[in-house]
Amino acid sequence: MDSLPQQNEGPLAAYRARVAEGALRADPAQAHAAEILQALWRNLRGYAPTPAAPEPRGFLGKLFGGKRGSGDLAAPEGTPEGLYLVGAVGRGKSMLMDLFFETAEVPRKRRIHFHAFMQEAHGRIHAWRRAHPGSDDPIPPLADQIAGEASLLCFDEFQVHDITDAMILGRLFEALFARGVVMVATSNTAPQDLFKGKPGRDAFLPFIALIQSRVEVFYLESAQDYRRERIRGLPTWHHPVNGRSERALDAAFEELTGSPHGEPASLQVLGRTVPVGEAARGVARTSFDELCGRPLGAADYLAVATHFHTLVLDGIPRLGPENFDRARRFITLVDALYEHRCKLVASAEAGPDQLYEQGENAAMFERTASRLMEMQSQEYLGLPHLP
Ligand SMILES: Nc1ncnc2c1ncn2[C@@H]1O[C@H](COP(=O)(O)OP(=O)(O)OP(=O)(O)O)[C@@H](O)[C@H]1O
Ligand SMILES: [Mg+2]
């Protein structure tokens, strides 16, 4: 039986407190998820496995050989089972995982966007290969490093699109689980549907089996898309650029992320670093100058549009033939945002129709202006993001 102090601690208590203070609406599906997270929270109190480096016992090798299921998973005895929260967009998965992460009493814990985690992993593999030319297997030292940093890993937006990720995931996670790492994740995709329909899927199936054996899968079937509800109530285009529009963007960022400021953020694209100002919970906030005032191109804007569901963009100037470089980049940015249903909250010197001064190339901007108008519509704001 719970002792009284425990009932006031952990993600369930935190969830109930937010509902009681009116910051969240009561939602039975979320409350159920919070109860499951609470059980894991309790299991994990003080969890600190020694990040030793056991040799994985070849679970994947056995699977490749056709034998499935196995009590001989290499996870140390007593390792708590993790949790994989799956559901449609805006259901509160990240919010719940964050409540869990903030309250988790685990000495070494880390919350990271899954895409960023994989980029970091590839970077570390490259660094290791450079430092150890001729050595064969970078996975065990990589797993040592990751497990040394955190025994609880919380991944936001778990998804696998990239064959280079798919190829290392199985061995990497087998090695992490063998070191006692517990994983909690949010995702729009159930484990059995990861990497579906992609070439090389067969070789990926053992990873799915591994995940299913190490985490509980919880389907968050909340009826409400809360993000849509929040952004629907928000005006998304503010002009002209002044103190008022800046405060409106401050308020939008806070409404969408729950905090006034995010973490400084950047994206790695083809070996380049694309600065995106600050970011939190899938929302980036940066300025027009930062994104369109430097030589970035379609691949960079695509990364922004797929990585974030909402971009809060400060200070779009009047555009025209004299700053056509910037205008052209802005056109490319809007195309990427539009194609991926990324939402835009912006401050600008003028409305979309008056943004590009008459003159050379004005016709090119017409489609952009039209897209910007559409992107303010309730219909567009209700569309799911296409990462
Ligand atoms: N019960 C609730 N009442 C009010 N707002 C909520 C509730 N649950 C979540 N929200 C808010 O709705 C927004 C979307 O929630 P969240 O980002 O956690 O969704 P998600 O399931 O992670 O979505 P995605 O799959 O797109 O990542 C957030 O701003 C969050 O704070
Ligand atoms: Mg989320």
Side-chain angles (χ1 to χ4, degrees):
M1 221 178 81
D2 277 345
S3 63
L4 205 58
Q6 277 206 4
Q7 290 177 346
N8 298 324
E9 296 172 87
L12 183 59
Y15 178 76
R16 287 180 177 152
R18 306 253 158 132
V19 171
E21 73 200 25
L24 295 174
R25 283 207 277 130
D27 180 315
Q30 289 182 347
H32 188 187
E35 279 166 23
I36 289 172
L37 284 163
Q38 180 77 12
L40 180 57
W41 175 86
R42 211 178 289 123
N43 277 339
L44 279 175
R45 284 190 112 172
Y47 183 67
T50 33
E55 272 307 302
R57 280 189 266 152
F59 173 65
L60 293 180
K62 291 214 172 76
L63 284 182
F64 277 121
K67 267 189 241 148
R68 250 205 83 159
S70 73
D72 67 348
L73 253 189
E77 216 175 303
T79 304
E81 194 175 53
L83 186 68
Y84 188 105
L85 277 173
V86 53
V89 299
R91 265 42 181 193
K93 299 179 296 296
S94 300
M95 176 276 292
L96 287 162
M97 187 175 78
D98 288 342
L99 290 179
F100 168 78
F101 181 77
E102 282 152 23
T103 53
E105 294 176 5
V106 175
R108 289 173 293 117
K109 59 180 181 177
R110 187 170 184 207
R111 180 208 192 275
I112 184 168
H113 194 271
F114 186 66
H115 183 64
F117 174 79
M118 289 311 296
Q119 282 188 328
E120 183 188 274
H122 288 298
R124 285 173 166 187
I125 289 175
H126 287 143
W128 191 86
R129 288 219 161 103
R130 272 196 306 276
H132 303 85
S135 307
D136 39 77
D137 192 359
I139 297 295
L142 174 63
D144 284 341
Q145 193 177 11
I146 297 169
E149 291 158 357
S151 41
L152 170 63
L153 279 175
C154 290
F155 295 119
D156 200 27
E157 304 195 358
F158 197 100
Q159 52 183 322
V160 185
H161 294 305
D162 192 325
I163 183 74
T164 58
D165 291 349
M167 274 160 30
I168 64 166
L169 274 170
R171 295 201 51 241
L172 176 58
F173 275 74
E174 185 184 33
L176 290 175
F177 293 141
R179 286 157 179 77
V181 170
V182 173
M183 147 179 170
V184 175
T186 77
S187 182
N188 299 126
T189 309
Q192 68 271 21
D193 294 331
L194 289 168
F195 209 55
K196 203 173 191 170
K198 300 274 166 86
R201 177 97 187 325
D202 282 355
F204 183 76
L205 293 175
F207 172 71
I208 293 177
L210 176 68
I211 289 294
Q212 288 171 330
S213 72
R214 290 303 319 152
V215 302
E216 178 179 356
V217 180
F218 182 86
Y219 292 85
L220 182 60
E221 278 166 348
S222 170
Q224 190 69 42
D225 177 349
Y226 292 102
R227 181 177 307 117
R228 179 190 298 208
E229 187 178 86
R230 277 171 190 249
I231 199 161
R232 275 195 164 177
L234 284 178
T236 54
W237 192 271
H238 302 269
H239 64 99
V241 178
N242 57 22
R244 233 185 78 221
S245 64
E246 189 181 341
R247 284 190 296 281
L249 265 53
D250 290 345
F253 186 86
E254 182 158 3
E255 172 72 16
L256 291 170
T257 65
S259 46
H261 293 289
E263 298 281 324
S266 60
L267 299 175
Q268 299 299 318
V269 182
L270 306 170
R272 285 192 302 277
T273 300
V274 181
V276 286
E278 53 181 330
R281 301 200 175 175
V283 182
R285 179 169 189 183
T286 189
S287 68
F288 177 88
D289 282 344
E290 195 81 64
L291 267 192
C292 300
R294 61 176 78 229
L296 297 178
D300 306 298
Y301 298 135
L302 201 67
V304 172
T306 53
H307 198 86
F308 299 103
H309 59 71
T310 305
L311 174 67
V312 179
L313 189 67
D314 283 89
I316 304 169
R318 278 185 195 278
L319 298 164
E322 73 294 343
N323 56 3
F324 189 66
D325 264 4
R326 294 173 163 235
R328 193 173 33 77
R329 292 189 204 113
F330 183 64
I331 291 171
T332 311
L333 171 66
V334 172
D335 284 344
L337 299 176
Y338 181 84
E339 270 151 32
H340 291 274
R341 313 280 189 261
C342 184
K343 314 304 179 293
L344 176 69
V345 181
S347 67
E349 284 302 350
D353 274 337
Q354 287 80 45
L355 203 56
Y356 196 94
E357 286 162 12
Q358 290 312 303
E360 215 185 325
N361 293 316
M364 252 183 97
F365 199 79
E366 270 173 32
R367 189 186 46 159
T368 304
S370 143
R371 290 189 160 184
L372 287 170
M373 300 299 286
E374 185 186 340
M375 287 164 73
Q376 295 175 60
S377 70
Q378 295 307 309
E379 289 70 31
Y380 181 88
L381 295 173
L383 295 173
H385 180 220
L386 301 176

